[in-house]
Amino acid sequence: MKYDLIIKNIKTAYTLKNGNIPRIGDELKNLSPVDGLSVAIKNGKIIEMGKDMNFSTEKVIDASGLIALPGFVDPHTHAIFGGNRANEWYRRQLGESYLSILKSDGGIIDTVSKTRMLSKEEMIKTTEVKLNRMLASGTTTVEVKSGYGLDHDTEIMMLETAKELNKSNRFDIVSTYLGAHAIPKEYKEKRDEYVKLVLDMLDEIKGKELAEFVDVFCEEGAFTVEESREILSKAKTLGFKLRIHADELAESGGSILAGEVGARSADHLLRISDEGIKAMIEGNVAAVLLPGTAFQMGGKHVPPVRKMIDKGMIIALASDFNPGSCPIYSLPIIISLGVMLYKLTPEEAISAVTVNSAYVVDRHSDKGTLEQGKDADILLLDANDIYEIPYWFGDMHVKYVIKYGKIVYEGDRYE
Ligand code: NIG
Ligand code: FE
C-alpha cells in the first residue's frame, strides 16, 4: 500500500495502546512505550505500526531523537469569549474573592457583556486564534462550552461558532451547552424564568444538533442542586450526555447529583466529600481535575487526588481555559500543575490528557491512543522521555503536531 505519511524511527512512542478504557488505579501508569517504532498513515488514520517495516510513501518524517504521544484531548474549556479579565485577576491577587466579584456583576457577567458585543465573524476569528495556540501546545481535540451569552441568540451563536470551526481538519471540537453558567443580570430578580429559558433552549439545541453535552455550574452564586437536577434531567431525556461543575468553591452537592443523574463527569471537585466520591464511583462518573484553576484560585484547596485514584475513580485532566478562573490554555502547563500541585505521577498525568480525557468526551474509539485504526493525531516532541513535559514548565518541546496525518504545527529542534 502507498501511504500518505510515514513517521519512522521514533525514539520512544508512548502508545497507551494496552489496557482498559478508561484507565483506573495503577493502569494509569502504563503508557505502553515502544522504542524504535514507525507509524504508517493513510486518509488520516494510523494504518500500521511496527519496527523495521518496508513502507512505500511520498512523505517521511525521520523521528530519530523524538518521542511520540497521542494528540492531547482537552475535555473542559470555555474557549469562546470576548475580551479578558486581567483587572479582575489582579483584584483577586489583592484579596477580593471570585464569588464576591461574581455577585457584584463582575466575573462571568463581565465576560457575558463583552461576548454579547462580538459579531459572528469576530467570534469565529477570536476563537480560531485561541484554538491555534492550543494546537501548538499539543491539543488536537477540545471540548468547548457555551455559557458567556446567557441569552438565546448569543448562546446559539457560540454553539454555531464551535460547529463552524469543527469543520476544519485542524482540530476536533466537542460542543457543550452551558446556558446554566450564571444568572444573567436581566434575570436576577426572576431566576425561575431564566431556568425556564435554559430548559426551553434544550429542545432547539437538540433539534439543530448544536451540542452533544449539557453542563451546569452547580455552585453557590450560580445554580442550586434542584435547578441543576431539573436541567440535567430534561437534557438526559432528550439524549444529551451530561457534565457538572461541582464542589469547586464549596461542597455544592454537585458530585452527588452527578452520580444520581449518571453524568459523564463532574469537574473541579476541590471540596468533594467522601459521600461525593462514593456517589461518583457508583454512578461511573469521571472526575475531571482542573489544577490550573485551583492554582489560579490561590492553590490552597486541592481535591483528594490520591484517595480518588486509590478508590478507583476515573480521572482526567483539563485546562478549564476561560478568561476568569483559568486563563491557561496549555495542557503541558496543566500537566506540570497536575504533577506539582495535585501530585499525579507524570505517567498518570499523560493518561489523564489522552486516553481518559478522550473517554470523558466520548471520542475514545478514535482518539487518545496510538494504535491501528485510530485517527492519526500525533505529537512528536524533542525530548528524552515524558518527564520533560512537566519539567519544561510552559515550554514543552513540540517538534510536530500532526492532525489527521497532516503537519499542522512545526517547532524548532533544540540541539
Ligand atoms: O469552570 N466555574 C464556572 N465556570 C468557569 C469560570 C468561568 C469564569 O470565571 O468566567 C470555571 O471555572
Ligand atoms: Fe469550567
Side-chain angles (χ1 to χ4, degrees):
M1 185 192 296
K2 189 134 197 264
Y3 298 106
D4 298 334
L5 174 68
I6 305 292
I7 305 168
K8 66 168 200 196
N9 294 333
I10 301 166
K11 176 181 159 57
T12 307
Y14 297 88
T15 65
L16 288 105
K17 67 181 163 55
N18 303 318
N20 298 312
I21 299 178
R23 304 278 144 84
I24 55 170
D26 276 346
E27 295 171 349
L28 285 161
K29 294 190 179 131
N30 179 10
L31 305 182
S32 307
V34 184
D35 290 345
L37 198 70
S38 298
V39 177
I41 296 161
K42 192 169 178 68
N43 296 331
K45 294 271 183 195
I46 297 174
I47 306 295
E48 270 188 80
M49 303 202 310
K51 299 183 190 184
D52 309 319
M53 296 167 73
N54 275 328
F55 294 123
S56 146
T57 181
E58 298 281 308
K59 188 158 175 55
V60 176
I61 294 177
D62 179 4
S64 316
L66 303 177
I67 64 170
L69 289 158
F72 295 150
V73 178
D74 191 340
H76 180 144
T77 84
H78 308 251
I80 305 178
F81 56 86
N84 71 67
R85 307 214 303 268
N87 289 338
E88 171 197 312
W89 175 87
Y90 192 59
R91 277 164 59 197
R92 282 195 280 116
Q93 307 313 310
L94 297 177
E96 273 189 74
S97 82
Y98 179 85
L99 212 51
S100 69
I101 293 171
L102 176 61
K103 282 180 178 161
S104 58
D105 293 333
I108 295 172
I109 301 303
D110 180 48
T111 298
V112 168
S113 320
K114 292 167 179 158
T115 306
R116 285 179 182 174
M117 279 158 51
L118 298 176
S119 68
K120 178 88 170 276
E121 291 67 35
E122 288 166 337
M123 189 180 274
I124 290 175
K125 185 73 209 134
T126 180
T127 307
E128 195 174 16
V129 169
K130 293 172 177 112
L131 292 174
N132 275 322
R133 297 207 175 183
M134 297 168 99
L135 191 68
S137 325
T139 300
T140 50
T141 298
V142 58
E143 185 255 15
V144 171
K145 303 174 197 293
S146 73
Y148 289 125
L150 307 187
D151 60 22
H152 174 273
D153 291 1
T154 320
E155 285 292 307
I156 296 289
M157 194 199 281
M158 291 182 79
L159 295 172
E160 285 174 351
T161 294
K163 194 167 183 169
E164 183 61 33
L165 289 168
N166 190 40
K167 288 181 188 155
S168 146
N169 275 339
R170 290 174 66 77
F171 15 69
D172 279 282
I173 300 176
V174 179
S175 287
T176 298
Y177 173 52
L178 177 60
H181 197 192
I183 302 282
K185 253 197 233 171
E186 60 277 19
Y187 283 91
K188 231 176 170 177
E189 305 308 323
K190 39 180 188 174
R191 55 187 298 137
D192 289 358
E193 283 181 38
Y194 186 67
V195 172
K196 183 163 181 322
L197 174 66
V198 172
L199 288 166
D200 289 346
M201 281 186 64
L202 290 173
D203 299 289
E204 177 183 352
I205 290 164
K206 189 73 200 174
K208 292 183 175 162
E209 296 183 354
L210 283 174
E212 192 174 327
F213 288 84
V214 168
D215 194 346
V216 174
F217 187 18
C218 179
E219 191 76 48
E220 190 201 325
F223 293 82
T224 65
V225 169
E226 291 69 34
E227 290 163 344
S228 304
R229 182 185 287 113
E230 193 180 2
I231 293 163
L232 294 172
S233 302
K234 174 161 180 189
K236 187 175 184 173
T237 312
L238 289 172
F240 287 103
K241 289 165 268 189
L242 312 178
R243 312 280 304 265
I244 305 186
H245 281 67
D247 301 338
E248 180 189 359
L249 307 167
E251 197 212 320
S252 64
S255 50
I256 297 172
L257 178 64
E260 179 191 317
V261 298
R264 187 72 167 199
S265 77
D267 305 35
H268 285 293
L269 308 173
L270 304 191
R271 268 111 163 156
I272 190 171
S273 64
D274 285 346
E275 207 188 334
I277 292 179
K278 188 162 170 276
M280 284 178 64
I281 292 173
E282 281 170 8
N284 206 29
V285 182
V288 175
L289 305 173
L290 309 167
T293 313
F295 172 67
Q296 291 282 345
M297 303 297 261
K300 283 197 210 95
H301 296 277
V302 299
V305 176
R306 193 48 51 192
K307 176 152 103 182
M308 293 161 82
I309 292 174
D310 289 346
K311 283 192 177 290
M313 281 182 99
I314 304 160
I315 62 135
L317 272 176
S319 68
D320 195 19
F321 177 42
N322 75 75
S325 64
C326 190
I328 302 168
Y329 57 78
S330 152
L331 280 178
I333 294 181
I334 298 300
I335 293 167
S336 295
L337 292 171
V339 174
M340 295 167 77
L341 189 63
Y342 280 19
K343 308 298 176 199
L344 294 167
T345 68
E347 291 84 359
E348 289 170 334
I350 295 298
S351 293
V353 293
T354 54
V355 62
N356 275 16
S357 52
Y359 167 79
V360 167
V361 295
D362 207 7
R363 292 293 185 275
H364 51 288
S365 34
D366 298 315
K367 316 275 183 196
T369 67
L370 299 180
E371 56 188 307
Q372 263 179 18
K374 289 217 176 172
D375 293 338
D377 296 358
I378 302 170
L379 309 181
L380 292 170
L381 311 181
D382 190 0
N384 284 310
D385 55 46
I386 56 145
Y387 283 62
E388 286 194 40
I389 299 173
Y391 164 73
W392 296 109
F393 196 106
D395 187 21
M396 183 173 76
H397 293 177
V398 183
K399 177 59 187 144
Y400 296 108
V401 178
I402 294 162
K403 181 72 184 170
Y404 289 121
K406 299 242 158 52
I407 297 170
V408 286
Y409 176 81
E410 186 168 351
D412 296 324
R413 294 291 304 239
Y414 269 70
E415 70 266 34

mmCIF file of all heavy atoms in Angstrom, residues 92-93 270-271 290-303 325 337 340-342:
data_model
loop_
_atom_site.group_PDB
_atom_site.id
_atom_site.type_symbol
_atom_site.label_atom_id
_atom_site.label_comp_id
_atom_site.label_asym_id
_atom_site.label_seq_id
_atom_site.Cartn_x
_atom_site.Cartn_y
_atom_site.Cartn_z
ATOM 1 N N ARG A 92 -8.232 40.007 42.482
ATOM 2 C CA ARG A 92 -8.215 38.764 43.265
ATOM 3 C C ARG A 92 -6.850 38.535 43.917
ATOM 4 O O ARG A 92 -6.760 38.056 45.032
ATOM 5 C CB ARG A 92 -8.620 37.567 42.391
ATOM 6 C CG ARG A 92 -10.133 37.510 42.194
ATOM 7 C CD ARG A 92 -10.597 36.171 41.665
ATOM 8 N NE ARG A 92 -10.407 36.054 40.229
ATOM 9 C CZ ARG A 92 -9.603 35.185 39.616
ATOM 10 N NH1 ARG A 92 -8.936 34.308 40.318
ATOM 11 N NH2 ARG A 92 -9.499 35.185 38.316
ATOM 12 N N GLN A 93 -5.773 38.950 43.224
ATOM 13 C CA GLN A 93 -4.444 38.816 43.856
ATOM 14 C C GLN A 93 -4.379 39.678 45.116
ATOM 15 O O GLN A 93 -3.711 39.344 46.077
ATOM 16 C CB GLN A 93 -3.300 39.238 42.906
ATOM 17 C CG GLN A 93 -3.276 38.571 41.551
ATOM 18 C CD GLN A 93 -3.450 37.071 41.617
ATOM 19 O OE1 GLN A 93 -2.773 36.380 42.376
ATOM 20 N NE2 GLN A 93 -4.387 36.558 40.828
ATOM 21 N N LEU A 270 -12.813 20.482 44.125
ATOM 22 C CA LEU A 270 -11.831 20.889 45.132
ATOM 23 C C LEU A 270 -12.311 20.548 46.537
ATOM 24 O O LEU A 270 -11.525 20.353 47.446
ATOM 25 C CB LEU A 270 -11.552 22.399 45.062
ATOM 26 C CG LEU A 270 -11.085 22.979 43.726
ATOM 27 C CD1 LEU A 270 -10.604 24.409 43.899
ATOM 28 C CD2 LEU A 270 -9.981 22.138 43.118
ATOM 29 N N ARG A 271 -13.643 20.546 46.702
ATOM 30 C CA ARG A 271 -14.185 20.306 48.044
ATOM 31 C C ARG A 271 -15.061 19.051 48.089
ATOM 32 O O ARG A 271 -16.001 18.981 48.875
ATOM 33 C CB ARG A 271 -15.027 21.512 48.478
ATOM 34 C CG ARG A 271 -14.221 22.538 49.241
ATOM 35 C CD ARG A 271 -14.061 23.791 48.453
ATOM 36 N NE ARG A 271 -13.640 24.882 49.323
ATOM 37 C CZ ARG A 271 -12.994 25.935 48.883
ATOM 38 N NH1 ARG A 271 -12.692 26.038 47.606
ATOM 39 N NH2 ARG A 271 -12.661 26.889 49.708
ATOM 40 N N LEU A 290 -8.940 20.013 37.430
ATOM 41 C CA LEU A 290 -8.584 21.270 36.782
ATOM 42 C C LEU A 290 -7.555 22.014 37.640
ATOM 43 O O LEU A 290 -7.865 23.032 38.274
ATOM 44 C CB LEU A 290 -9.850 22.121 36.588
ATOM 45 C CG LEU A 290 -11.029 21.385 35.908
ATOM 46 C CD1 LEU A 290 -12.328 22.171 36.038
ATOM 47 C CD2 LEU A 290 -10.726 21.125 34.445
ATOM 48 N N PRO A 291 -6.315 21.518 37.664
ATOM 49 C CA PRO A 291 -5.330 22.110 38.571
ATOM 50 C C PRO A 291 -4.942 23.538 38.208
ATOM 51 O O PRO A 291 -4.472 24.288 39.075
ATOM 52 C CB PRO A 291 -4.126 21.168 38.477
ATOM 53 C CG PRO A 291 -4.296 20.449 37.185
ATOM 54 C CD PRO A 291 -5.771 20.357 36.937
ATOM 55 N N GLY A 292 -5.145 23.920 36.947
ATOM 56 C CA GLY A 292 -4.850 25.307 36.557
ATOM 57 C C GLY A 292 -5.764 26.259 37.307
ATOM 58 O O GLY A 292 -5.345 27.333 37.761
ATOM 59 N N THR A 293 -7.020 25.864 37.457
ATOM 60 C CA THR A 293 -7.992 26.701 38.152
ATOM 61 C C THR A 293 -7.674 26.737 39.649
ATOM 62 O O THR A 293 -7.677 27.804 40.266
ATOM 63 C CB THR A 293 -9.415 26.148 37.923
ATOM 64 O OG1 THR A 293 -9.551 25.871 36.530
ATOM 65 C CG2 THR A 293 -10.473 27.133 38.364
ATOM 66 N N ALA A 294 -7.372 25.572 40.221
ATOM 67 C CA ALA A 294 -7.024 25.531 41.655
ATOM 68 C C ALA A 294 -5.818 26.440 41.908
ATOM 69 O O ALA A 294 -5.782 27.192 42.891
ATOM 70 C CB ALA A 294 -6.719 24.096 42.067
ATOM 71 N N PHE A 295 -4.857 26.404 40.987
ATOM 72 C CA PHE A 295 -3.653 27.241 41.117
ATOM 73 C C PHE A 295 -4.009 28.725 41.019
ATOM 74 O O PHE A 295 -3.595 29.540 41.845
ATOM 75 C CB PHE A 295 -2.664 26.842 40.021
ATOM 76 C CG PHE A 295 -1.459 27.729 39.895
ATOM 77 C CD1 PHE A 295 -0.504 27.785 40.902
ATOM 78 C CD2 PHE A 295 -1.275 28.515 38.762
ATOM 79 C CE1 PHE A 295 0.613 28.606 40.777
ATOM 80 C CE2 PHE A 295 -0.170 29.341 38.640
ATOM 81 C CZ PHE A 295 0.775 29.390 39.649
ATOM 82 N N GLN A 296 -4.833 29.063 40.018
ATOM 83 C CA GLN A 296 -5.223 30.468 39.820
ATOM 84 C C GLN A 296 -6.078 30.982 40.976
ATOM 85 O O GLN A 296 -6.123 32.180 41.231
ATOM 86 C CB GLN A 296 -5.995 30.622 38.503
ATOM 87 C CG GLN A 296 -5.161 30.418 37.252
ATOM 88 C CD GLN A 296 -4.300 31.613 36.893
ATOM 89 O OE1 GLN A 296 -4.499 32.714 37.388
ATOM 90 N NE2 GLN A 296 -3.327 31.396 36.037
ATOM 91 N N MET A 297 -6.775 30.087 41.653
ATOM 92 C CA MET A 297 -7.622 30.494 42.780
ATOM 93 C C MET A 297 -6.822 30.527 44.089
ATOM 94 O O MET A 297 -7.406 30.626 45.167
ATOM 95 C CB MET A 297 -8.822 29.549 42.927
ATOM 96 C CG MET A 297 -9.698 29.444 41.696
ATOM 97 S SD MET A 297 -10.507 30.963 41.219
ATOM 98 C CE MET A 297 -12.093 30.656 41.943
ATOM 99 N N GLY A 298 -5.530 30.401 44.006
ATOM 100 C CA GLY A 298 -4.694 30.535 45.200
ATOM 101 C C GLY A 298 -3.991 29.257 45.601
ATOM 102 O O GLY A 298 -3.060 29.282 46.401
ATOM 103 N N GLY A 299 -4.441 28.131 45.080
ATOM 104 C CA GLY A 299 -3.735 26.869 45.305
ATOM 105 C C GLY A 299 -3.913 26.258 46.690
ATOM 106 O O GLY A 299 -3.295 25.249 47.006
ATOM 107 N N LYS A 300 -4.781 26.875 47.516
ATOM 108 C CA LYS A 300 -4.919 26.350 48.885
ATOM 109 C C LYS A 300 -5.797 25.113 48.922
ATOM 110 O O LYS A 300 -5.615 24.244 49.761
ATOM 111 C CB LYS A 300 -5.502 27.418 49.804
ATOM 112 C CG LYS A 300 -4.482 28.464 50.202
ATOM 113 C CD LYS A 300 -4.963 29.256 51.422
ATOM 114 C CE LYS A 300 -4.422 30.670 51.390
ATOM 115 N NZ LYS A 300 -5.336 31.647 50.806
ATOM 116 N N HIS A 301 -6.783 25.058 48.039
ATOM 117 C CA HIS A 301 -7.697 23.910 48.047
ATOM 118 C C HIS A 301 -7.442 23.037 46.839
ATOM 119 O O HIS A 301 -7.468 23.514 45.707
ATOM 120 C CB HIS A 301 -9.155 24.386 48.024
ATOM 121 C CG HIS A 301 -9.505 25.144 49.258
ATOM 122 N ND1 HIS A 301 -9.878 24.529 50.433
ATOM 123 C CD2 HIS A 301 -9.489 26.470 49.519
ATOM 124 C CE1 HIS A 301 -10.091 25.446 51.350
ATOM 125 N NE2 HIS A 301 -9.855 26.631 50.824
ATOM 126 N N VAL A 302 -7.160 21.775 47.106
ATOM 127 C CA VAL A 302 -6.991 20.814 46.019
ATOM 128 C C VAL A 302 -7.835 19.581 46.346
ATOM 129 O O VAL A 302 -8.097 19.294 47.503
ATOM 130 C CB VAL A 302 -5.501 20.412 45.808
ATOM 131 C CG1 VAL A 302 -4.654 21.610 45.444
ATOM 132 C CG2 VAL A 302 -4.939 19.712 47.026
ATOM 133 N N PRO A 303 -8.267 18.841 45.323
ATOM 134 C CA PRO A 303 -9.062 17.641 45.596
ATOM 135 C C PRO A 303 -8.194 16.545 46.239
ATOM 136 O O PRO A 303 -6.965 16.568 46.087
ATOM 137 C CB PRO A 303 -9.514 17.186 44.198
ATOM 138 C CG PRO A 303 -9.133 18.275 43.256
ATOM 139 C CD PRO A 303 -8.057 19.070 43.890
ATOM 140 N N SER A 325 -11.392 32.241 35.874
ATOM 141 C CA SER A 325 -10.706 31.412 36.868
ATOM 142 C C SER A 325 -9.479 30.680 36.334
ATOM 143 O O SER A 325 -8.696 30.140 37.111
ATOM 144 C CB SER A 325 -11.688 30.392 37.454
ATOM 145 O OG SER A 325 -12.124 29.508 36.444
ATOM 146 N N LEU A 337 1.210 21.306 36.472
ATOM 147 C CA LEU A 337 0.465 21.586 37.707
ATOM 148 C C LEU A 337 -0.166 20.305 38.256
ATOM 149 O O LEU A 337 -0.281 20.136 39.477
ATOM 150 C CB LEU A 337 -0.607 22.649 37.454
ATOM 151 C CG LEU A 337 -0.055 24.048 37.161
ATOM 152 C CD1 LEU A 337 -1.175 24.982 36.696
ATOM 153 C CD2 LEU A 337 0.651 24.640 38.386
ATOM 154 N N MET A 340 2.829 18.860 40.029
ATOM 155 C CA MET A 340 3.375 19.644 41.145
ATOM 156 C C MET A 340 2.344 19.942 42.220
ATOM 157 O O MET A 340 2.650 19.930 43.412
ATOM 158 C CB MET A 340 3.957 20.956 40.596
ATOM 159 C CG MET A 340 5.139 20.719 39.678
ATOM 160 S SD MET A 340 5.585 22.180 38.743
ATOM 161 C CE MET A 340 6.431 23.114 39.994
ATOM 162 N N LEU A 341 1.110 20.232 41.809
ATOM 163 C CA LEU A 341 0.096 20.656 42.777
ATOM 164 C C LEU A 341 -0.820 19.498 43.183
ATOM 165 O O LEU A 341 -1.216 19.385 44.338
ATOM 166 C CB LEU A 341 -0.730 21.785 42.144
ATOM 167 C CG LEU A 341 -1.718 22.546 43.020
ATOM 168 C CD1 LEU A 341 -0.992 23.287 44.144
ATOM 169 C CD2 LEU A 341 -2.516 23.557 42.176
ATOM 170 N N TYR A 342 -1.152 18.639 42.226
ATOM 171 C CA TYR A 342 -2.078 17.526 42.511
ATOM 172 C C TYR A 342 -1.338 16.214 42.773
ATOM 173 O O TYR A 342 -1.963 15.194 43.043
ATOM 174 C CB TYR A 342 -3.062 17.349 41.338
ATOM 175 C CG TYR A 342 -4.225 18.324 41.343
ATOM 176 C CD1 TYR A 342 -4.187 19.513 42.075
ATOM 177 C CD2 TYR A 342 -5.376 18.059 40.615
ATOM 178 C CE1 TYR A 342 -5.252 20.393 42.070
ATOM 179 C CE2 TYR A 342 -6.461 18.937 40.615
ATOM 180 C CZ TYR A 342 -6.392 20.104 41.333
ATOM 181 O OH TYR A 342 -7.455 20.967 41.325
#
